[in-house]
Amino acid sequence: MAEQEKLVVLIGADTFPPDVNGAARFGERLSAGLARRGVEVHVVAPATSKDYGTFRENHDGVPIIVHRLQSHRFPGHKTLRYVNPIALRLKTDKILRQVKPDVVHVQSHLNVGRALSKGAKVNKLPLIATNHIMPENLIKYVVGTSPWIENFFSKIAWADAARVLKRADAVTTPTKRAANLLEASTGLSGVYAISCGIDSSNYAAAPEATNKPATLLFVGRLDHEKRIHILLKAVSLLDPKFDVKVELVGDGSEREALESYATELGIRGRINFLGPVSDTELKEALYRSSIFVMPSIAELQSIATMEAMASGRPVVAADAMALPHLVHSGDNGYLFKADDSKDFAAQLTKVLEADEKEFRRLANNSLHLIEAHDINKTIDTFLRLYRGEKPQGTTADNEDAYNQPVGNRPLNRALREARERMIETRDGVVERLDEVGEKVIERFEDIRYDVRENSKKINRKIKRSLKRTIERMRREG
C-alpha cells in the first residue's frame, strides 16, 4: 500500500450531499477530514440532477473529486435516488482503473456499494464497509405497508446485506447498539463501532439556549420511521401556557400529510416546515432552538442529534435503537417511550418547566457528552483500518466512562475548558485553511435539486395515499 501521505481512498456512497441524511453527512465529513490529512479522496455517488460525470465539488470547505453516476428517483420517496444496477459494474470498474485507489470504503450494501465491493475484491483491493442502513426503512417504499410483508422482505434484505458486507476486510457501524443489531441480523462478527464523529468547534459560537420562550427543533427526513406525527400529537398535549413553537428542517414523503395532521390537531400555526436548508440555515435553526427533539425509532446514531448537543441543546428523544447512546436520560435531556405521545409530552414538560439552573445543567451536559464523539478520533481509526491495522480501541463513546451518569456534578469549569478547546480547534483549522489559500478554482455546479419537482406519477401516488396516511397518524398518535 502507498505511504500515508500518498494514500488514495475511494469512497462509495449511495447517498451523498446535497442529500440531507446522516449517511450523506458522514460521507461528506469523512471525505473532507481525510483530504485535510493529505489523503487523495475520490467519491462515487449518484448524480442529483441530469448532469453526471466527474466534478471537483466543495464539501465542508474542501475540494473533493466526486464521480457522479446517472440516477433516478426512488419509487414512493421524495428525495432518495438510486443508480440503475444494469451495467453499473462497467462504470465502477472504469473508475477503479482510473483512480487506482489503495483502499475502497463503501457506505452501504446498495447498488453503488455493491458494485464497488465486487470490483474491489476482483482487483484484490482492501475493502472497508460501513453500514448506515436499516433495510426496514427502505422496504416500506417498495413493497407497501402491510407488516407481515415488510417483515418477510426485511429478512431477505438483511440476508442480502450480509452477502455484500462479508466481502469486506473490516465492517463498521456508528454505535455498539447498531453493531449488535448488524451482527444479529447478518451473522457477521467483529463489527467495529466507530462514531460518525463531529467537529464540535464548528458550533462554538452557539448562544446559550433558553426554555422561556421555547422552540423545539427537529432535523431529518419527514418520513414514517421518523415519527413526526408522534411529535405533533405530543405538542398538542402540552399545557398551552408553554406557548411552544416547533421548527421542522427537512422534507420527505409525509410532509403534506403532516401539515394536514397539524391543522387537524389545531397547532398548525405553531409548526414551521422549513424544508431542505443550507448548512448556514441549519446552524441558524440550531442556534434559534431551545430543545432538540428526535422521535425516530430507526436511528443508528443520529448526526442531527449530535449537532444539537454540540450547540449546547438539551434533547428529548425516543428510547429506541441508538438514541439512548446519545441521550442519557436525566443528564442531557430525557428519553420517552417510543411511539407514546403522552410520555413524549411528559418528558418535554420536564425540560419546559425547568428553572434556569436545571436547564443550564441539561445543556452543559450535552456539551460534555459530545466531546467523546471527536471527528478526529473517527478519522484516526479509519486511517488505521485503511492501512490494514487493527484499531486498539475506537472512539471515546465506547469507553466505560462515557456511560457513567453525569448527574449534578459542577460543570462550569469543564464547560469553559470545553468551549476553549472547541474555539482553539476551530481557529487552528481556519489557520491551516488560510495557509492553503483559495488557489483551487472549483468546477462546482450547484446540483442540489428542488424536491418539489417530483414527477406527476409520484405526486399522484402521494395524493392518493394522503388520506390513508393521516388516518394512520390518528391511530398511532
Side-chain angles (χ1 to χ4, degrees):
M1 184 178 292
E3 295 298 327
Q4 180 180 354
E5 61 271 20
K6 297 179 182 179
L7 190 66
V8 180
V9 176
L10 189 145
I11 294 175
D14 283 274
T15 179
F16 195 73
D19 292 350
V20 180
N21 58 66
R25 291 186 71 80
F26 170 70
E28 179 179 49
R29 289 173 176 173
L30 176 65
S31 302
L34 291 170
R36 290 190 182 100
R37 300 283 189 95
V39 176
E40 182 181 331
V41 180
H42 293 255
V43 176
V44 180
T48 51
S49 74
K50 294 180 180 180
D51 296 322
Y52 52 91
T54 298
F55 302 88
R56 187 178 295 275
E57 301 179 1
N58 191 337
H59 288 282
D60 201 21
V62 179
I64 302 292
I65 299 171
V66 183
H67 306 269
R68 295 282 183 177
L69 303 174
Q70 185 178 16
S71 67
H72 311 277
R73 293 287 176 84
F74 203 91
H77 201 287
K78 291 185 73 175
T79 59
L80 195 61
R81 300 180 74 89
Y82 72 96
V83 178
N84 193 325
I86 298 175
L88 178 55
R89 270 290 304 280
L90 295 175
K91 299 173 184 177
T92 55
D93 284 355
K94 181 179 179 181
I95 293 171
L96 287 170
R97 289 194 299 272
Q98 292 173 337
V99 175
K100 296 181 176 59
D102 295 305
V103 62
V104 175
H105 184 179
V106 298
Q107 301 298 307
S108 81
H109 66 278
L110 301 180
N111 295 357
V112 174
R114 183 187 308 271
L116 283 170
S117 67
K118 289 180 179 178
K121 299 314 290 182
V122 168
N123 289 281
K124 296 181 171 54
L125 294 170
L127 175 65
I128 310 300
T130 296
N131 183 64
H132 301 277
I133 294 174
M134 289 180 63
E136 294 88 341
N137 296 346
L138 296 176
I139 288 169
K140 174 181 173 59
Y141 303 102
V142 180
V143 301
T145 58
S146 174
W148 75 267
I149 294 178
E150 290 182 17
N151 290 337
F152 174 75
F153 279 94
S154 290
K155 292 179 181 178
I156 295 175
W158 277 117
D160 177 63
R163 284 192 292 272
V164 177
L165 297 176
K166 284 178 180 178
R167 298 175 186 144
D169 299 290
V171 177
T172 81
T173 197
T175 62
K176 282 186 176 179
R177 286 199 179 196
N180 292 339
L181 172 67
L182 185 59
E183 291 182 346
S185 301
T186 62
L188 291 166
S189 61
V191 174
Y192 292 100
I194 304 174
S195 174
C196 290
I198 187 169
D199 184 355
S200 297
S201 66
N202 286 335
Y203 304 89
E208 289 189 352
T210 176
N211 59 346
K212 298 177 178 59
T215 298
L216 310 183
L217 176 65
F218 168 84
V219 178
R221 290 178 289 105
L222 306 187
D223 290 326
H224 179 63
E225 70 273 11
K226 299 298 184 179
R227 296 302 201 263
I228 310 303
H229 60 290
I230 301 296
L231 166 62
L232 297 181
K233 181 64 175 179
V235 170
S236 74
L237 297 175
L238 292 172
D239 192 320
K241 70 179 182 181
F242 295 125
D243 191 26
V244 169
K245 302 291 190 299
V246 180
E247 291 195 337
L248 304 175
V249 171
D251 207 343
S253 60
E254 293 202 340
R255 175 168 176 169
E256 187 176 351
L258 289 167
E259 290 176 344
S260 297
Y261 188 49
T263 300
E264 181 179 302
L265 292 171
I267 60 172
R268 182 64 183 87
R270 291 191 276 151
I271 312 298
N272 189 3
F273 289 82
L274 297 176
V277 300
S278 66
D279 287 346
T280 299
E281 292 168 332
L282 172 58
K283 192 171 288 188
E284 290 171 352
L286 284 166
Y287 292 1
R288 285 194 303 269
S289 69
S290 308
I291 305 165
F292 189 79
V293 291
M294 181 53 70
S296 172
I297 60 170
E299 298 300 307
L300 295 184
Q301 183 161 50
S302 183
I303 289 179
T305 301
M306 294 166 67
E307 291 172 335
M309 291 169 62
S311 301
R313 268 51 185 170
V315 183
V316 178
D319 188 1
M321 277 308 299
L323 289 175
H325 188 69
L326 294 174
V327 183
H328 296 191
S329 203
D331 281 338
N332 66 320
Y334 295 95
L335 296 169
F336 68 91
K337 184 179 178 181
D339 286 339
D340 188 333
S341 55
K342 291 182 180 179
D343 191 37
F344 196 175
Q347 303 309 317
L348 281 170
T349 298
K350 291 180 183 179
V351 186
L352 293 169
E353 286 183 336
D355 59 24
E356 183 177 355
K357 181 179 179 181
E358 171 63 6
F359 186 82
R360 183 55 38 211
R361 181 186 72 84
L362 295 170
N364 289 352
N365 285 346
S366 276
L367 290 168
H368 168 72
L369 289 169
I370 202 61
E371 287 190 84
H373 297 272
D374 181 14
I375 186 69
N376 290 305
K377 184 67 180 292
T378 296
I379 293 171
D380 288 342
T381 306
F382 277 112
L383 281 171
R384 285 196 291 273
L385 287 175
Y386 295 162
R387 299 186 196 108
E389 302 171 7
K390 184 176 181 179
Q392 299 300 314
T394 54
T395 44
D397 60 302
N398 293 312
E399 297 174 1
D400 291 340
Y402 176 79
N403 294 309
Q404 297 301 313
V406 180
N408 291 302
R409 70 184 182 86
L411 275 176
N412 289 338
R413 179 178 178 182
L415 174 63
R416 286 196 302 271
E417 292 175 351
R419 285 284 187 184
E420 289 170 1
R421 285 195 296 273
M422 290 180 188
I423 294 172
E424 181 180 351
T425 303
R426 180 194 62 191
D427 292 344
V429 170
V430 171
E431 183 178 348
R432 288 193 296 273
L433 290 176
D434 285 342
E435 290 175 359
V436 173
E438 298 181 356
K439 297 180 180 179
V440 178
I441 302 175
E442 287 93 11
R443 183 168 55 90
F444 177 59
E445 176 187 4
D446 183 9
I447 56 174
R448 178 180 180 178
Y449 63 84
D450 187 346
V451 295
R452 294 172 298 181
E453 296 178 358
N454 294 290
S455 68
K456 292 182 180 179
K457 181 178 178 181
I458 294 179
N459 273 333
R460 287 197 298 269
K461 182 177 179 181
I462 292 173
K463 289 178 180 179
R464 285 197 302 268
S465 66
L466 178 60
K467 183 177 179 180
R468 185 170 63 252
T469 302
I470 295 174
E471 290 174 351
R472 174 181 51 73
M473 290 179 178
R474 294 189 191 116
R475 291 195 304 271
E476 295 180 353

